[in-house]
Amino acid sequence: MLSNKWINMTDTLIDNLSIDCVIFGFDNEELKILCIKRNTEPDLGMMALPGGFVYLQEDLDKAPARRLKDLTGLTNVYMKEVGTFGNVNRYPLRRVITIAYYALIKISDYVIHAGEDAQEATWIPVKQVPKMVFDHNTIFTAALLKLRERVRMEPIGFNLLPEKFTITELQTLYEQILDTKFDKRNFRKKLAKMNLLIDTNEKQQNVSHRAAKLYSFDTKVYESLIKKGFVFDL
Amino acid sequence: MLSNKWINMTDTLIDNLSIDCVIFGFDNEELKILCIKRNTEPDLGMMALPGGFVYLQEDLDKAPARRLKDLTGLTNVYMKEVGTFGNVNRYPLRRVITIAYYALIKISDYVIHAGEDAQEATWIPVKQVPKMVFDHNTIFTAALLKLRERVRMEPIGFNLLPEKFTITELQTLYEQILDTKFDKRNFRKKLAKMNLLIDTNEKQQNVSHRAAKLYSFDTKVYESLIKKGFVFDL
DNA sequence: TCAAAAGTGTTGTCGCTACACCCATGT
DNA sequence: ACATGGGTGTAGCGACAACACTTTTGA
């Protein structure tokens, strides 16, 4: 056991080890990630993934959760490791390796909590991500690949959609993530077989066409599907 | 760009960042990993995964390759990242986070090069892995899960089998990795459809039963299968 | 001639894909 | 009434699992 009896190390940052977050969100049209403008040197003002350093007395996976909370106000967010990026010269000032994570959040939740962070954070469609600092484009690409891989193993839509959503929204989400098109009828059939959706008996409001039914996820079924390593091929 | 013009940093180790390797091998009967007895404190003499620290001037993924070469004499080995292990107290002396990798090697190759390393390295069946130091059992379990996941995406058998092998050996390998049994006929049928095997026109020697044909992998087909993200479900 | 593993086909079931029309709602 | 997306069923095909016997070889 480490002890901080003699020296208070709680606020000490490890300066050769950082974390970066690829935060995915879905606005019912496009899959997006949250980018910031750097407010420190080097490359002040350039676009970047939100990231930061790890405290000496902080478990590694707590660091991205902390960063995410600072930025969005959200806690208990779905978050997975993407991988490690450790080329010698990836960071210009000194040797820093970074651990990348991706997070899935509901944009609607984020909107409520926005503005707590001073940095300009913006949602950028994954198909229009600009040149970012350091190796952040590489990290982003790796994160998107991981998401595509994972989406077949776990019913991830759960984390990106609002509490109540239409089946078309769910289908659009999967089409955006996997960059494909699905047949509407087949999609609904497969989904139906999973017993994953609960009919809320509500409908869309104020749409200029037939209003779609709103559904929510059945958390129980969701948990058990994950547990048995279900393959979620849509 | 970092410069080592003024200080020679080539031999400087980063002391809060280590790598650990889960090295898988297959002896035509069981799936095994290579473990060592620690020859340094702490926990001298206990079983551990081979690992080490990273040089300041070394790309992160070069470190496990270097460690593997020191231990086995092998280069150009199939190697993938497992993940990062960074709990505050995982290493007793100080805060060290570790990046774990898994490697797939042909045991037959290893035997030839054995003995170059002073540490006692032993092959241990994955079903009989003992208590190891620190969080190495957690790392091993994560690596095995990754391997099981990956084995469905890439024809990994390639890396674990000798140049020439029988179909039964290949089947046994997959059964060992996934901890299941397959039907012999169905296994062979699916395999045949992939065009992945080349008949070497040779047979087993000195077996006290009907000798099996020896096959080798068709590297071309293998590459193209990987490229198109083939799902290798057996 | 026995033991031990190699090798080989068929059948039923299930899941997948492809495909086109009517329905509800707001303007 | 029209424009817009919501919602529904069927048929053919291919993939998969289950299943048992004959062949080769060495002892």
Side-chain angles (χ1 to χ4, degrees):
Chain A
M1 282 279 275
L2 286 174
S3 159
N4 59 359
K5 190 170 168 187
W6 306 107
I7 305 167
N8 182 340
M9 298 184 290
T10 308
D11 295 336
T12 309
L13 285 167
I14 303 173
D15 76 348
N16 63 355
L17 182 61
S18 68
I19 57 90
D20 285 296
C21 305
V22 181
I23 303 165
F24 289 102
F26 178 64
D27 63 0
N28 289 349
E29 297 207 352
E30 281 183 306
L31 186 65
K32 297 181 173 178
I33 62 165
L34 200 52
C35 293
I36 60 162
K37 273 203 174 126
R38 275 181 72 82
N39 60 3
T40 50
E41 291 291 353
D43 293 312
L44 189 148
M46 266 194 81
M47 293 303 260
L49 297 171
F53 290 91
V54 181
Y55 285 112
L56 190 53
Q57 290 290 28
E58 177 181 50
D59 287 342
L60 184 63
D61 55 359
K62 299 293 187 303
R66 170 172 54 80
R67 183 69 175 91
L68 190 71
K69 185 174 179 230
D70 288 348
L71 190 64
T72 67
L74 301 176
T75 54
N76 285 328
V77 168
Y78 178 97
M79 199 160 222
K80 295 279 181 194
E81 187 176 328
V82 173
T84 311
F85 298 82
N87 280 353
V88 170
N89 295 319
R90 59 170 295 281
Y91 184 77
L93 298 191
R94 60 181 186 276
R95 179 74 192 273
V96 176
I97 75 130
T98 195
I99 325 288
Y101 293 81
Y102 71 90
L104 306 180
I105 74 174
K106 308 186 207 301
I107 288 195
S108 50
D109 288 356
Y110 167 71
V111 170
I112 297 169
H113 294 86
E116 296 188 9
D117 191 273
Q119 287 175 295
E120 296 175 50
T122 39
W123 287 104
I124 298 182
V126 293
K127 288 177 184 167
Q128 296 159 38
V129 170
K131 172 83 188 89
M132 295 185 284
V133 298
F134 320 145
D135 55 357
H136 284 196
N137 289 85
T138 308
I139 293 173
F140 159 67
T141 304
L144 186 54
L145 284 176
K146 273 271 191 241
L147 175 61
R148 282 187 183 152
E149 204 179 292
R150 279 283 162 212
V151 88
R152 294 166 174 277
M153 314 298 282
E154 305 175 23
I156 273 176
F158 196 42
N159 303 287
L160 285 162
L161 290 168
E163 288 306 316
K164 296 170 185 178
F165 53 87
T166 69
I167 294 184
T168 302
E169 284 163 4
L170 183 61
Q171 181 175 342
T172 307
L173 171 59
Y174 274 85
E175 289 177 345
Q176 287 291 315
I177 293 177
L178 296 172
D179 197 22
T180 39
K181 287 282 176 194
F182 294 110
D183 178 272
K184 194 167 33 159
R185 280 174 289 192
N186 294 338
F187 186 87
R188 282 158 190 256
K189 260 180 296 176
K190 282 188 222 172
L191 209 54
K193 238 179 295 178
M194 296 179 196
N195 282 326
L196 197 54
L197 298 189
I198 299 173
D199 187 341
T200 65
N201 294 316
E202 294 176 58
K203 293 192 171 188
Q204 284 179 315
Q205 302 294 327
N206 304 319
V207 287
S208 71
H209 53 75
R210 175 171 175 180
K213 281 184 165 185
L214 292 171
Y215 293 87
S216 62
F217 280 99
D218 186 328
T219 317
K220 299 280 182 217
V221 177
Y222 171 85
E223 302 288 357
S224 73
L225 285 182
I226 290 180
K227 205 162 283 176
K228 70 168 95 144
F230 189 64
V231 177
F232 196 68
D233 247 328
L234 282 168
Chain B
M1 282 279 275
L2 285 173
S3 158
N4 60 0
K5 190 171 169 188
W6 305 108
I7 304 169
N8 182 339
M9 297 183 292
T10 308
D11 295 335
T12 308
L13 286 167
I14 302 174
D15 76 348
N16 63 356
L17 182 62
S18 68
I19 57 90
D20 286 296
C21 305
V22 181
I23 303 165
F24 289 101
F26 178 64
D27 63 0
N28 289 350
E29 297 207 353
E30 280 182 305
L31 186 66
K32 297 181 175 180
I33 63 166
L34 201 51
C35 293
I36 59 163
K37 272 205 174 127
R38 276 181 72 82
N39 60 4
T40 51
E41 291 291 350
D43 293 312
L44 190 147
M46 265 194 81
M47 293 304 260
L49 297 171
F53 290 92
V54 181
Y55 286 111
L56 190 53
Q57 291 290 30
E58 176 181 50
D59 287 342
L60 183 63
D61 56 359
K62 300 292 187 303
R66 170 173 53 82
R67 183 69 176 90
L68 190 72
K69 184 173 180 231
D70 288 349
L71 190 64
T72 67
L74 300 176
T75 53
N76 286 329
V77 168
Y78 177 97
M79 200 160 221
K80 295 279 181 194
E81 186 176 328
V82 174
T84 311
F85 298 81
N87 280 352
V88 170
N89 295 318
R90 60 169 293 280
Y91 186 75
L93 298 189
R94 59 182 187 275
R95 179 74 192 273
V96 175
I97 75 130
T98 195
I99 325 288
Y101 293 81
Y102 71 91
L104 305 181
I105 76 174
K106 307 186 208 300
I107 286 194
S108 50
D109 288 357
Y110 167 72
V111 169
I112 297 167
H113 293 86
E116 296 187 8
D117 192 273
Q119 286 175 296
E120 295 175 50
T122 38
W123 288 104
I124 298 183
V126 294
K127 288 177 184 168
Q128 295 159 39
V129 170
K131 172 83 187 87
M132 295 185 285
V133 297
F134 319 146
D135 54 358
H136 284 196
N137 288 84
T138 308
I139 293 173
F140 158 67
T141 304
L144 187 55
L145 284 176
K146 273 271 192 246
L147 175 60
R148 283 189 184 152
E149 205 180 289
R150 278 284 161 211
V151 89
R152 293 165 176 277
M153 315 298 282
E154 304 175 24
I156 273 176
F158 196 42
N159 303 287
L160 284 162
L161 289 168
E163 287 308 315
K164 297 169 185 178
F165 53 88
T166 68
I167 294 184
T168 302
E169 283 163 5
L170 183 60
Q171 180 175 344
T172 308
L173 172 58
Y174 274 85
E175 290 177 345
Q176 287 291 315
I177 293 177
L178 296 172
D179 197 20
T180 39
K181 286 283 176 194
F182 294 110
D183 178 273
K184 193 169 30 160
R185 280 173 289 190
N186 293 338
F187 186 88
R188 283 157 190 256
K189 259 180 293 177
K190 282 189 222 172
L191 209 53
K193 240 178 293 179
M194 296 178 197
N195 282 327
L196 197 54
L197 298 189
I198 299 174
D199 188 340
T200 64
N201 293 317
E202 295 176 57
K203 294 193 169 187
Q204 286 180 314
Q205 302 294 328
N206 303 320
V207 286
S208 71
H209 54 77
R210 176 172 175 179
K213 281 183 165 186
L214 291 171
Y215 293 87
S216 62
F217 280 99
D218 186 328
T219 317
K220 299 280 184 218
V221 177
Y222 172 83
E223 303 288 358
S224 71
L225 285 182
I226 291 180
K227 205 162 282 175
K228 69 169 97 146
F230 189 65
V231 176
F232 196 69
D233 246 329
L234 283 167

